[in-house]
Amino acid sequence: MLNIAVFVSGGGTNLQALIDAQKSGIIKNGKIGLVVSSKEGVFALERAKNANIPYVVCPRKDFSDNESYSNELLKILEENNIGVVVLAGFMTVLKGEILKKYKNKIINVHPALIPSFCGDGFYGLKVHEKALEYGVKITGATVHFVNDVTDGGAIILQKSVEIENDDTPEILQKRVMEQAEWKILPLAVELFCAGKIEISGNKTIIKR
Ligand code: GAR
């Protein structure tokens, strides 16, 4: 049973999808042992409390740069024997040692079909604003491993979502979450915990 840490920064709907997947048995080879938030007072923490999951707040604002912040997160992971990290709406780009020690053990969900609308500056609602601005007809979500290139690690799962005429960034964000993120993130986490993801260079092979 792998010990899972979930990193959050906001509402935590993806965390909720993971909690629900654990309850329903979709995630069965891992257990969420810790939630780490980069901000105080976010609703994701209420979700952790309600599910009786231990949590810590490690505020990004207390650190001068992403690397010193990432080093503190690494300490927390090692102290808690964490085997896999899930970034679920986590708004800091991880840097330095943590990426080496947890190579191919950090999983992120991104609200677009990588390599579109990704990289530095593409996060949260902004991703959907850019997709609508460009006029694409299909977007979606991607679950991938984290490496030192923002949104550049090996892709695990993707799911497409159609854009509709009257979409606003908020409406589109909700559809992408409901139809894609909340489904493929728990599936990818279970695939990882069950040892079913083979990594070859920057590609994955899923053993179903
Ligand atoms: C989600 O759409 C997630 O994909 C996105 O932020 C939202 C967080 O929602 N993450 C990124 O943009 C990271 N690059 P949540 O807090 O309700 O899960």
Side-chain angles (χ1 to χ4, degrees), residues 7-17 42-44 47 87-93 108-112 117-119 121-128 140-142 144 150-151 173-174 176-177 181-182 185:
F7 286 7
V8 297
S9 301
T13 63
N14 279 290
L15 168 64
Q16 191 64 53
V42 294
F43 194 67
R47 299 180 192 274
L87 309 185
F90 187 67
M91 295 303 172
T92 299
V93 176
N108 180 48
V109 61
H110 182 75
F117 310 113
C118 64
F122 286 87
Y123 57 86
L125 213 49
K126 286 191 190 181
V127 177
H128 305 292
T142 303
H144 64 94
T150 308
D151 299 323
Q173 180 182 50
K174 188 155 182 279
V176 169
M177 283 174 159
E181 294 184 51
W182 301 342
L185 182 60

Side-chain angles (χ1 to χ4, degrees), residues 3 6 10 13-15 18 20 28 37 40-41 43 49 54 58 63 74 84 86 90 123 157 164 170 173 186 195 207:
N3 199 12
V6 184
T13 63
N14 279 290
L15 168 64
L18 293 167
D20 294 347
K28 51 179 183 293
S37 175
E40 284 176 48
F43 194 67
K49 275 182 221 170
C58 184
F63 295 80
L74 176 58
V84 57
V86 183
F90 187 67
Y123 57 86
L157 294 176
E164 293 176 12
E170 291 79 7
Q173 180 182 50
K207 298 180 273 176

Side-chain angles (χ1 to χ4, degrees), residues 11 28 33 39 42 54 58 62 74 99 116 118-119 125 138 146 149 151 153 156 158 164 166 173 177 200 208:
K28 51 179 183 293
K39 284 188 194 148
V42 294
C58 184
D62 293 352
L74 176 58
L99 297 176
S116 289
C118 64
L125 213 49
I138 292 172
V146 172
V149 178
D151 299 323
I156 304 168
Q158 292 188 298
E164 293 176 12
D166 297 330
Q173 180 182 50
M177 283 174 159
S200 163
R208 306 246 183 202

